[in-house]
Amino acid sequence: MKELLQKMGFQKSVRELALALPGPSTIENVSGLANRIVNNHFDFGAFRALTHDVNSAKAVVHDPLLESIGHAHQIAYGNNVLVLAATADPDLRCCSTRKNGRSLFVF
């Protein structure tokens, strides 16, 4: 979100921005950045619904935006681990997020 704010400024609806931007959505462009933000937001909501109760789990399982139950859990747990690591080690010196030049936490 911080990167999107730096590149595009405040956006009322990131989802509308993601739909309106022309061209393909790639990891290097603003369209891809907006798309990742929207997808992660949905994944957090899906995780919440899957773990709240049976009725909310049933609703999210039938949502066409759900990529997979495992993916929703991975994004939510990965974010929780990153928050805990950053809290215990704000500079991420002990809990490095990089390994072999690749990010361990992809959001």
Side-chain angles (χ1 to χ4, degrees), residues 12-66:
K12 180 75 172 169
S13 171
V14 176
R15 186 172 186 180
E16 288 177 14
L17 175 68
L19 292 171
L21 288 169
S25 172
T26 69
I27 198 162
E28 291 90 21
N29 65 22
V30 174
S31 178
L33 179 59
N35 190 42
R36 282 193 314 275
I37 291 168
V38 171
N39 287 344
N40 286 346
H41 176 77
F42 179 81
D43 289 329
F44 293 142
F47 175 80
R48 186 173 47 249
L50 288 164
T51 58
H52 184 261
D53 66 27
V54 173
N55 292 327
S56 63
K58 284 179 184 177
V60 79
V61 166
H62 296 292
D63 191 315
L65 295 177
L66 181 68

Side-chain angles (χ1 to χ4, degrees), residues 1-9 27-30 33 36-37:
M1 186 65 96
K2 183 192 276 186
E3 187 178 344
L4 181 66
L5 285 171
Q6 291 171 345
K7 290 183 178 185
M8 296 292 293
I27 198 162
E28 291 90 21
N29 65 22
V30 174
L33 179 59
R36 282 193 314 275
I37 291 168

